[in-house]
């Protein structure tokens, strides 16, 4: 997996979650806190999720085959989507079930120092993991807001780890609040309410992850900045005079397909057109290195066709209104 895949952040989250899951489960055995059981399952699910992300990154590196000529880059999207399913089912639904049971059959928390101590340790460990994810994400985020970064990032791993770590920290605070209120009041009902809140939180995060990764699986175009670079690279003003229409598609986080019909002069020779297209492809790859699959089709631009409704400015990925002038 490339650096943009956030391997460091994934490994940091994996190490933290394995240690936290073990500590939480031990605390549950000694205290009987349902919040601790829900949180231990949550951390176990998160550990499995980081394993899925690493596996997806490894599988995405496979070479293209005749059966899959565009490679396996989307494996990373598939495994990120599986993460949302695991988070929803194993983490969220289990926590809701456990919270419901505890509310119906509350019992006091025993050996309070176990859950409190483990929750404090978990908050420290998750903060370290979250800090690593933020540091890795800032390299790619630029001036975008965090919301924009999560919504528009083409590499799914960092948004997944960020949301998981954020959910884990909020869940730990909810668990600490539930356990604390249960200890203060002597009523285990609060522990169940805290567990229920953790489940709702995890399901909400899982739904956000599922929506974002679904968009990547369906196929997203290049970002606005890359699209503008590609447009500027195609037209040379001599042989290639304009873009008639263009489409881009992410085959994976670091592999982009570019397909365009370009206008050439009607009196150009075939050799001139071929040289111009080869030069345009080279310029595109220089400007946007992830543009690895490029198809440029030469054609003669027709003002009549544009006026009749085939103007590319009216279709997705077109070069913009100015191209029809």
């Amino acid at each position: 997996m490339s650096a943009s895949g956030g391997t460091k952040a994934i490994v940091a989250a994996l190490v933290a979650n394995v240690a936290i899951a073990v500590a939480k489960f031990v605390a549950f055995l000694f205290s009987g806190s349902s919040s601790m059981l829900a949180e231990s399952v949550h951390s176990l699910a998160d550990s499995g999720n980081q394993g899925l992300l690493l596996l997806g990154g490894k599988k995405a590196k496979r070479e293209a085959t005749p059966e899959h000529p565009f490679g396996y880059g989307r494996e990373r999207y598939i495994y990120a989507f599986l993460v949302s399913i695991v988070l929803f089912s194993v983490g969220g639904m289990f926590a809701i079930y456990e919270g419901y049971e505890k509310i119906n059959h509350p019992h006091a928390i025993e050996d309070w120092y176990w859950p409190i101590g483990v929750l404090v340790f978990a908050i420290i460990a998750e903060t370290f993991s979250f800090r690593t994810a933020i540091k890795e994400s800032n390299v790619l985020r630029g001036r975008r807001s965090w919301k924009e970064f999560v919504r528009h990032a083409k590499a799914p791993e960092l948004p997944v780890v960020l949301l998981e770590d954020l959910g884990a920290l909020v869940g730990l605070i909810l668990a600490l609040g539930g356990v604390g209120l249960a200890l203060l009041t002597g009523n285990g009902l609060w522990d169940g309410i805290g567990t229920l809140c953790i489940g709702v939180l995890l399901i909400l995060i899982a739904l956000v992850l599922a929506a974002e990764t679904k968009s990547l699986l369906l196929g997203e175009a290049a970002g606005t900045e890359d699209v503008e670079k590609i447009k500027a690279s195609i037209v040379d003003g001599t042989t290639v005079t304009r873009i008639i229409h263009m489409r881009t598609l992410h085959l994976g986080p670091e592999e982009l397909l570019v397909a365009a019909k370009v206008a050439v002069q009607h009196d150009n020779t075939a050799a001139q057109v071929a040289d111009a297209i080869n030069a345009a492809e080279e310029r595109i790859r220089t400007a946007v290195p992830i543009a690895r699959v490029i198809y440029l089709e030469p054609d003669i631009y027709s003002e009549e066709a544009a006026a009749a409704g085939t103007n590319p400015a009216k279709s997705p990925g077109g070069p913009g209104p100015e191209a029809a002038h």
Side-chain angles (χ1 to χ4, degrees):
M1 191 184 303
S2 72
S4 62
T7 305
K8 184 177 179 181
I10 297 172
V11 172
L14 177 60
V15 172
N17 280 314
V18 169
I20 292 169
V22 173
K24 287 174 180 175
F25 191 71
V26 170
F28 159 71
L29 292 177
F30 280 92
S31 66
S33 167
S34 65
S35 291
M36 295 310 302
L37 178 58
E39 276 294 307
S40 65
V41 173
H42 172 197
S43 294
L44 186 63
D46 281 353
S47 301
N49 287 341
Q50 274 95 56
L52 285 173
L53 292 177
L54 292 172
L55 180 61
K58 182 178 180 180
K59 284 184 172 292
K61 292 179 179 179
R62 289 180 294 172
E63 295 293 331
T65 64
E67 187 177 4
H68 296 92
F70 292 112
Y72 293 85
R74 289 195 180 184
E75 290 269 17
R76 287 166 66 178
Y77 300 154
I78 293 170
Y79 279 85
F81 189 76
L82 290 176
V83 165
S84 67
I85 295 174
V86 171
L87 195 63
F88 179 90
S89 56
V90 179
M93 295 304 292
F94 178 83
I96 286 181
Y97 168 78
E98 186 64 24
Y100 175 79
E101 287 295 312
K102 188 61 179 284
I103 290 173
N104 284 334
H105 309 287
H107 60 80
I109 294 176
E110 303 171 359
D111 298 327
W112 62 270
Y113 42 85
W114 275 102
I116 296 297
V118 166
L119 285 171
V120 171
F121 162 73
I123 289 173
I124 294 172
E126 285 289 359
T127 300
F128 166 76
S129 175
F130 193 38
R131 179 178 176 274
T132 303
I134 290 174
K135 186 177 179 181
E136 292 281 293
S137 299
N138 278 332
V139 176
L140 300 175
R141 185 169 65 95
R143 296 183 178 181
R144 290 180 293 176
S145 68
W146 286 108
K147 181 180 178 180
E148 289 174 334
F149 174 71
V150 170
R151 292 201 63 185
H152 301 296
K154 304 304 180 184
E157 291 85 1
L158 282 172
V160 168
V161 173
L162 278 170
L163 288 175
E164 278 191 347
D165 285 349
L166 177 62
L169 281 171
V170 175
L172 288 167
I173 293 171
L174 292 172
L176 190 61
V179 170
L181 287 171
L183 291 172
L184 288 173
T185 63
N187 188 348
L189 178 68
W190 290 107
D191 187 29
I193 293 174
T195 307
L196 201 62
C197 291
I198 292 169
V200 172
L201 171 70
L202 294 181
I203 287 176
L204 289 175
I205 291 176
L207 292 175
V208 171
L209 286 177
E212 295 305 320
T213 51
K214 183 198 74 171
S215 178
L216 292 170
L217 280 170
L218 287 174
E220 289 190 356
T224 303
E225 184 178 345
D226 283 344
V227 167
E228 293 305 317
K229 288 180 181 178
I230 293 169
K231 289 178 183 177
S233 300
I234 291 177
V235 178
D236 62 11
T238 304
T239 303
V240 180
T241 58
R242 70 174 72 224
I243 301 168
I244 298 176
H245 61 73
M246 184 179 80
R247 301 288 186 273
T248 61
L249 178 69
H250 268 274
L251 301 174
E254 284 111 24
E255 188 168 17
L256 187 66
L257 180 149
V258 178
K261 179 174 282 192
V262 298
V264 297
Q265 302 286 1
H266 66 87
D267 55 351
N268 289 138
T269 66
Q272 288 175 320
V273 171
D275 288 343
I277 287 177
N278 288 335
E281 290 178 354
E282 186 63 31
R283 291 194 299 270
I284 292 171
R285 291 190 174 97
T286 300
V288 183
I290 65 171
R292 298 176 187 173
V293 182
I294 303 173
Y295 299 106
L296 300 182
E297 177 187 354
D299 201 351
I300 305 300
Y301 181 74
S302 168
E303 294 285 355
E304 292 76 14
T310 58
N311 184 352
K314 297 179 180 178
S315 62
E322 69 279 1
H325 294 167

